[in-house]
Amino acid sequence: MTILGDLLSTIFERRYLTAALDKPDARSMEELISALVGATGEVSGLSAANHILKRYREMNDEEKLAFFRHLSSNMNIDPDKVRSALEAYEADPSKQSYRAFMSSVEPDRQELIRRLNQIPGATEALVQMRADLLRLGRGDPRLQALDQDFRHLFLSWFNRGFLVLRPISWESPAHILEKIIAYESVHEIASWEDLRRRLVPGDRRCFAFFHPTMPDEPLIFVEVALTSAVPGSIQDLLAEDRETLAADEARTAAFYSISNCQPGLAGISFGNSLIKQVAADLATELPALKTFVTLSPIPELTNWLKSEDILFEDADAKQIRTLAAHYLMSAKRPDGLPLDPVARFHLGNGAMIHAVHAEADLSPKGQAQSAGAMVNYLYDLPKVAQNHERFATAKEITASSEIRGLDASAKKLDLRRSESEPVAN
């Protein structure tokens, strides 16, 4: 009887809640926001949250911008309150004064975002909301500050403990496969047959991270080729007429495409956990695998060469490799980290620069961004933690002797064009 009573109670509560959520509400968006943050009753709070999210979905960009500006201006911290709470804590550190200080430094908009997330499906809606904020808030310091509140909460909601690693295969649901095609950002998937070639053969794998509240939305996915040796060409890796290798004969796992799927999760890093988890799972499945590498693009190479006035047009393969190695080792941001974003990612994960290849990506995109060059980052699993520590603390780049030799050669050459030589557009 108790179980039946609980079941009937749950059914009636849900029917009551559904009716409450669907009830029209004439309050303004600002009134709904205030009501949600101040709500003490569960139903009234959920109703306000539901109406806020529903109205937001119907807004145009101008209305969304006004919504974000309201949050950034009217739901910000109170500096005077923060100073007063800090002084009280400094004078008498205690549980109460600490709690008061922590409450003062958390803006009401953080609590708003938390309460919005109580609605089923709200997490995905909030991820899309942040994507809008990043798109509309460029160049606006107040809106960029608001984004820090979204990012702070998302770092907790999307930490590794909540993520689920799932293999993607040809038997995966069609709506998931459609999203893999749409979200592929490194090497375009041109058709369903192209996708099939990446999923069906026994020497191919694909894995994605999902969040329990977004089971139909991959957050990030990686495509893997099982090979006999370290690959040096994406054309060879994806060739239609290539020979399939038996998985148990593979000695190398090559991560050739890693794609982030959700613009609203920019800056929330999943890639490092994904690569390490996939490498560990593959090593368990296929003990003969000894080498884990990437075949990665070098997206800013040609832009940097042009900015440095370095000759590279019509360069032979050897020179392209030399220039690529020199760029990866020596091109730095003002903070001392590598200029190349892919290099920062993999080196930050503890990988090392293993090899560079000319004529490795002959697609228009590959030619435009890196003169066709690609790079292998090696994940030497026993050394990953050590490499990461050196990079994080001393910004030290771990690289093979071949890469270091190419970089040294480049520094001895006169790479800059003469004044009479035109710059390619």
Side-chain angles (χ1 to χ4, degrees):
M1 291 297 294
T2 302
I3 296 175
L4 178 59
D6 290 345
L7 179 61
L8 290 173
S9 176
T10 299
I11 292 172
F12 286 127
E13 284 177 3
R14 288 182 178 176
R15 290 183 64 181
Y16 175 70
L17 179 59
T18 300
L21 294 181
D22 290 340
K23 184 179 179 181
D25 196 316
R27 289 177 290 181
S28 68
M29 179 65 95
E30 289 77 11
E31 290 172 331
L32 285 169
I33 290 171
S34 179
L36 176 56
V37 173
T40 56
E42 180 183 7
V43 174
S44 61
L46 291 174
S47 177
N50 184 62
H51 284 291
I52 290 171
L53 292 175
K54 184 177 180 181
R55 289 191 195 177
Y56 181 85
R57 286 194 299 270
E58 297 168 353
M59 288 179 177
N60 58 34
D61 279 356
E62 184 176 348
E63 291 167 331
K64 289 177 179 178
L65 198 52
F67 170 79
F68 292 138
R69 285 175 174 157
H70 173 73
L71 300 188
S72 67
S73 299
N74 301 322
M75 305 192 76
N76 203 352
I77 59 173
D78 181 338
D80 291 335
K81 186 177 179 181
V82 173
R83 280 190 287 268
S84 176
L86 179 59
E87 289 172 0
Y89 177 73
E90 286 179 326
D92 181 24
S94 66
K95 176 181 177 180
Q96 290 74 22
S97 62
Y98 180 72
R99 179 185 295 166
F101 172 69
M102 292 302 293
S103 175
S104 71
V105 297
E106 179 179 288
D108 287 343
R109 60 201 186 208
Q110 278 196 25
E111 183 61 21
L112 171 71
I113 298 168
R114 286 195 194 93
R115 295 193 178 199
L116 287 173
N117 199 39
Q118 298 175 90
I119 296 294
T123 304
E124 184 174 344
L126 290 169
V127 169
Q128 181 55 55
M129 186 182 290
R130 183 176 182 240
D132 292 336
L133 175 60
L134 291 172
R135 176 173 57 86
L136 297 171
R138 294 189 184 99
D140 187 324
R142 286 181 175 269
L143 296 188
Q144 290 171 348
L146 169 61
D147 177 59
Q148 290 304 302
D149 293 304
F150 276 93
R151 187 174 185 274
H152 170 73
L153 294 172
F154 284 3
L155 283 169
S156 297
W157 298 354
F158 290 90
N159 74 53
R160 176 63 186 93
F162 293 117
L163 304 184
V164 179
L165 181 68
R166 286 162 48 185
I168 305 297
S169 71
W170 192 241
E171 285 70 41
S172 296
H175 66 275
I176 297 293
L177 298 182
E178 287 175 345
K179 288 172 181 177
I180 296 298
I181 293 175
Y183 292 145
E184 166 59 66
S185 60
V186 184
H187 304 292
E188 180 187 6
I189 301 175
S191 65
W192 281 94
E193 182 56 33
D194 191 3
L195 176 65
R196 189 178 189 280
R197 286 193 295 270
R198 302 193 193 194
L199 298 180
V200 171
D203 59 355
R204 293 295 184 264
R205 299 286 190 278
C206 182
F207 299 88
F209 267 150
F210 291 82
H211 192 275
T213 63
M214 301 169 62
D216 295 327
E217 279 290 339
L219 307 181
I220 186 173
F221 67 91
V222 60
E223 297 169 69
V224 186
L226 303 177
T227 60
S228 56
V230 175
S233 163
I234 194 64
Q235 293 88 230
D236 294 342
L237 216 57
L238 299 180
E240 294 184 28
D241 58 352
R242 69 176 186 83
E243 290 187 14
T244 301
L245 180 71
D248 58 2
E249 295 178 6
R251 298 295 179 266
T252 299
F255 304 91
Y256 66 89
S257 179
I258 303 172
S259 296
N260 288 297
C261 306
Q262 306 298 325
L265 293 175
I268 314 298
S269 179
F270 309 116
N272 54 352
S273 297
L274 178 65
I275 290 176
K276 292 168 186 175
Q277 183 65 61
V278 169
D281 288 358
L282 288 174
T284 300
E285 177 195 355
L286 301 167
L289 288 176
K290 302 301 180 186
T291 305
F292 298 89
V293 298
T294 73
L295 181 61
S296 299
I298 313 176
E300 295 298 324
L301 175 58
T302 56
N303 285 340
W304 180 76
L305 292 173
K306 291 175 183 177
S307 71
E308 294 293 311
D309 213 20
I310 294 175
L311 288 164
F312 71 94
E313 300 86 0
D314 301 320
D316 60 23
K318 181 178 179 180
Q319 185 182 1
I320 291 295
R321 291 179 62 246
T322 300
L323 293 174
H326 179 52
Y327 164 72
L328 293 169
M329 293 294 295
S330 301
K332 303 290 179 63
R333 301 192 311 188
D335 62 5
L337 291 174
L339 183 63
D340 190 81
V342 179
R344 289 197 303 273
F345 171 76
H346 289 295
L347 293 170
N349 290 345
M352 68 176 289
I353 306 175
H354 177 66
V356 289
H357 308 275
E359 301 178 348
D361 184 357
L362 299 179
S363 68
K365 179 180 178 181
Q367 296 282 21
Q369 69 181 6
S370 63
M374 298 188 78
V375 55
N376 301 123
Y377 295 99
L378 174 66
Y379 280 81
D380 187 348
L381 300 185
K383 298 180 180 179
V384 161
Q386 176 184 337
N387 293 343
H388 161 76
E389 198 66 26
R390 286 204 297 258
F391 184 77
T393 58
K395 300 174 184 174
E396 181 180 335
I397 295 175
T398 305
S400 66
S401 58
E402 177 187 19
I403 293 295
R404 293 189 178 280
L406 289 170
D407 181 42
S409 297
K411 291 174 179 177
K412 297 176 182 178
L413 299 175
D414 182 12
L415 298 173
R416 297 183 186 278
R417 72 181 72 248
S418 66
E419 292 184 3
S420 62
E421 292 171 313
V423 178
N425 294 319

